[in-house]
Amino acid sequence: ADICFTSTTVPKMLVNIQTQSKVITYTGCITQIYLFLLFAELDNFLLAVMAYDRFVAICDPLHYTVIMNPWLCGLLLLGSWTVSVLHALLQIFMALQLSFCTDLEIPHFFCELNEVVQIASSENFLNDLVVYFAPVLLATGSLTGILYSYSKIVSTIHGMSSAQGRSKAFSTCASHLSVVSLFYGTGLGVYVGSARVHSSHSTAAASVMYTVVT
């Protein structure tokens, strides 16, 4: 998921730098938006699933193999893919309703949906609502599940008598927590921030953090 997520934007960006050409076709832009949204949402849900996995491993280790069985893992993966595909299709359908002028410049290093909506020549309240509300709603839902899992994890770790056990438990969560902080901190900042005030430079910088760095 991470490889595909990064591959939707970085190769085109590198080609643009090498050729000194920033042109992208309308079809290419729409395709990039769809793939980007698909894998961004997949990452979003998988981070929540990983938090649940850590929660079970630390808070109920004796039942871990029973709870996190292959059937449940497959179901969680299928659910993540299904919602991600449906959300990306919904957003693309809304984007296709927009009309644009002939010569446009997107102040970004890739076709991020909220940036494309802002330069559209047509105004559509429903479109704006879906573009900004749906990703924030899905991300907030996943983030709530992650925070709940970690509240239980912290409570369990706090109750451990062994310092070595606490250290081991924290170390298994460190990398995941780092990605969660970068992904949601900058990702939500891009959508919530751009809905209030438009700043191309800060939006692009934040997008680099959650699309490439993580």
Side-chain angles (χ1 to χ4, degrees):
D2 281 334
I3 290 170
C4 292
F5 182 40
T6 309
S7 298
T8 60
T9 58
V10 175
K12 174 61 177 171
M13 178 183 68
L14 294 176
V15 169
N16 290 351
I17 293 170
Q18 179 65 29
T19 61
Q20 293 296 302
S21 171
K22 299 177 182 180
V23 175
I24 185 169
T25 64
Y26 176 76
T27 304
C29 186
I30 291 295
T31 303
Q32 192 179 63
I33 290 173
Y34 174 76
L35 293 174
F36 174 80
L37 289 171
L38 170 62
F39 293 111
E41 282 306 331
L42 186 58
D43 256 3
N44 173 43
F45 290 118
L46 290 181
L47 285 171
V49 170
M50 290 166 69
Y52 177 69
D53 175 77
R54 294 299 83 205
F55 161 70
V56 176
I58 293 172
C59 299
D60 197 5
L62 296 179
H63 295 104
Y64 176 78
T65 54
V66 176
I67 297 171
M68 297 302 293
N69 58 74
W71 184 84
L72 178 63
C73 291
L75 193 64
L76 290 170
L77 185 60
L78 179 63
S80 299
W81 268 105
T82 302
V83 178
S84 299
V85 168
L86 292 176
H87 171 251
L89 286 173
L90 171 65
Q91 296 283 32
I92 282 298
F93 175 76
M94 299 305 291
L96 289 172
Q97 309 306 308
L98 298 171
S99 56
F100 301 91
C101 300
T102 51
D103 295 321
L104 289 174
E105 183 175 330
I106 301 170
H108 214 297
F109 68 95
F110 73 100
C111 289
E112 191 157 34
L113 183 59
N114 59 314
E115 293 288 332
V116 172
V117 168
Q118 287 174 2
I119 61 171
S121 57
S122 57
E123 289 290 335
N124 189 325
F125 174 75
L126 179 61
N127 209 315
D128 289 344
L129 187 66
V130 172
V131 166
Y132 291 108
F133 183 70
V136 171
L137 180 65
L138 291 173
T140 303
S142 295
L143 187 57
T144 301
I146 291 171
L147 293 176
Y148 176 79
S149 295
Y150 273 106
S151 68
K152 294 294 184 182
I153 289 171
V154 170
S155 177
T156 300
I157 292 174
H158 184 70
M160 291 179 177
S161 56
S162 167
Q164 185 179 1
R166 286 197 297 270
S167 176
K168 184 178 180 182
F170 271 121
S171 67
T172 62
C173 302
S175 59
H176 181 254
L177 275 174
S178 301
V179 173
V180 165
S181 301
L182 278 174
F183 186 81
Y184 289 102
T186 55
L188 285 172
V190 166
Y191 279 85
V192 175
S194 61
R196 291 185 287 107
V197 59
H198 182 61
S199 175
S200 302
H201 181 75
S202 59
T203 299
S207 295
V208 169
M209 295 300 290
Y210 84 94
T211 59
V212 181
V213 176
T214 55

